[in-house]
Amino acid sequence: MNDDHDPELGTIAREMYIDATPDVVYEVVSNPAHISQWWSDELTLDGDAPGASGVISWGKSEDPDYHAESFRIVDAVPGKTFSFNWCYPPGDTDLSGRALLVTFTLVPQGDGTLLSMTETGFREKGWEAAVLEEMYNDHVRGWGQHLPDLIAYAERTAARAVTRGTR
């Protein structure tokens, strides 16, 4: 997994090879049931097309470490790309400068997929320098933890599909 991040630019970028088809990887990065296996505890959405929104959360609502963020699909092209805004105030409709944007781009490579992930929008949030640095570094650590889980989960999902003969 190649990783690139630059706090001055406010962009996190990762590139990784996954031994699974783009269709499998797309499902893993876009389907709430799959996302809860490698990233969050739960993602609820009111649809699966651009504009669909909901909440992504970690922990149980009654726990003191519970954390939830607003989530809205920006682009969804099966087998090709999935992007979403998150980390914005609930109920916001104009997200320019108010949300982070995560984009997954999938490119077939041999029998697998080259997955590129970027997260942008940190500098646009208008945070004070210390808050920007803290949030940016928190997300670098988070993706560093969750993307290896995504790779492993997608490869297990692909292996199960082969076993069932559905790959």
Side-chain angles (χ1 to χ4, degrees):
M1 178 167 57
N2 296 331
D3 62 337
D4 183 26
H5 57 277
D6 183 348
E8 289 301 315
L9 297 176
T11 298
I12 300 170
R14 301 280 193 277
E15 190 172 83
M16 65 214 80
Y17 176 81
I18 301 176
D19 189 16
T21 66
D23 289 336
V24 169
V25 175
Y26 180 83
E27 281 300 309
V28 167
V29 300
S30 67
N31 182 311
H34 289 297
I35 290 170
S36 67
Q37 298 300 307
W38 64 268
W39 184 22
S40 69
D41 288 322
E42 184 175 24
L43 171 59
T44 58
L45 288 171
D46 61 10
D48 60 3
S53 61
V55 174
I56 189 166
S57 61
W58 295 264
K60 298 194 181 299
S61 59
E62 62 274 4
D63 293 342
D65 60 344
Y66 174 77
H67 182 78
E69 292 288 348
S70 298
F71 189 103
R72 182 175 305 150
I73 298 173
V74 174
D75 195 18
V77 181
K80 304 250 184 237
T81 189
F82 182 74
S83 62
F84 59 89
N85 287 124
W86 75 310
C87 300
Y88 58 90
D92 267 15
T93 54
D94 178 12
L95 300 183
S96 54
R98 310 252 315 147
L100 298 179
L101 174 66
V102 174
T103 301
F104 290 105
T105 305
L106 299 78
V107 176
Q109 189 174 62
D111 291 333
T113 303
L114 183 64
L115 177 67
S116 299
M117 184 283 304
T118 60
E119 184 174 28
T120 60
F122 292 93
R123 297 192 65 72
E124 294 78 4
K125 297 270 289 178
W127 288 320
E128 293 180 9
V131 173
L132 170 62
E133 184 176 357
E134 178 184 345
M135 295 303 294
Y136 180 85
N137 288 331
D138 182 55
H139 285 237
V140 167
R141 282 187 301 275
W143 289 118
Q145 173 188 341
H146 296 296
L147 290 176
D149 293 343
L150 181 159
I151 294 168
Y153 179 75
E155 290 178 350
R156 285 192 312 272
T157 300
R160 284 192 300 269
V162 168
T163 301
R164 290 191 309 267
T166 59
R167 186 173 194 187

